[in-house]
Amino acid sequence: MATASSAMTPDFEVKFLLDSSVVLSSAGKPTDAIRSALSLADKTIKINVQFLDTPAKELYNAGWSPRVRKVEGKAGWELTYKKRYPIGNDGNPSTDDIANTLLVALGDGFGASDSEYEAQVEWGFAKQTLSISRKKNVKKDSVEKKAMDLPDEEQSRKLLIGEAPGKFSNWQFEAWGTGLLKDGVVFGPVYAKRYEGKWEGTEVDVEVWPIKEKWGSEDLVNVVEVSFKSDSSIEAKEKHDALEVFLKENGWLVPQDSLKTQLIMDRYGPTGPQETEEEETGPSGYGAE
């Protein structure tokens, strides 16, 4: 029988949504106020990302997100195969909820002995999600550190199929994942910027993601996140609560969970979230809460 000691040990990433109309200037850059409060560097790190899935989003609906990403300053493309597990109920998941979710993942074959996968608890305003990721770097002479282009759809298929790990490929049956990727289309790309900073001694990142306002539109809305990482659940909890208070006091917080991947999957690709109804949106086009 599976035991907690054989489950994976996650780190934690805390993320909060920020009100883009308040924290960004008319040029789409962080205001002086948030720059000062979070000691944000002037230099940005560019990120270009796209997902691959079937038009019906069969991989995403099964909890998987195959992704191709290019990060400024790093050679090659980063391929990620991420499996998501919701933790507990909405509101305030407990330590037991996290442990139980890790045991569910263990039952699926994601254990502590599998060093090729990384476990992380993504902790938002209210919800937590366990993400288990396998990353691979594709380094080729043609993919320079400064070039931010991503592979086209056909090349993305070949790369993600060719590098697919066994757990993804054979998730429901043999060649399940790679078979679906053969019919994969690109969701994206989305071109973001990251600003590194520090808040009360903790390293933080502020990311600005211009995402389509809705499916079929070329208008973009800026989704802004602030995040930090921790190896300790106790530290993550303490700083999560303190940062939430700090952001509220400054009028910067959007009180809902970040749904960035969902927004990209809903607003890009050949079809929208629903074929007959427009997507419901929350404040500043962040999506339904």
Side-chain angles (χ1 to χ4, degrees), residues 47-51 68-70 148-153 156 186-192 209-212 218 220 264 267-269:
I47 304 167
N48 202 4
V49 63
Q50 63 191 24
F51 297 85
V68 184
R69 187 170 74 163
K70 181 71 176 71
M148 293 301 298
D149 292 342
L150 293 173
D152 63 20
E153 192 167 84
S156 295
V186 165
F187 290 76
V190 177
Y191 194 81
W209 290 75
I211 294 177
K212 287 183 178 182
E218 295 303 318
L220 302 176
I264 295 171
R267 299 179 184 182
Y268 294 78

Side-chain angles (χ1 to χ4, degrees), residues 52-55 58-59 62 157 161 168 172-173 175-185:
L52 204 73
D53 206 333
T54 66
E58 294 167 88
L59 295 169
R157 287 193 204 100
I161 290 172
F168 166 77
Q172 294 187 6
F173 48 81
W176 170 83
T178 49
L180 290 175
L181 281 177
K182 291 178 181 179
D183 296 321
V185 296

Side-chain angles (χ1 to χ4, degrees), residues 79-109:
L79 310 181
T80 302
Y81 305 80
K82 179 182 288 190
K83 179 69 176 77
R84 308 179 313 277
Y85 293 88
I87 298 175
N89 298 317
D90 294 354
N92 188 22
S94 67
T95 302
D96 287 342
D97 289 328
I98 296 173
N100 290 335
T101 306
L102 287 165
L103 286 177
V104 172
L106 178 61
D108 286 338

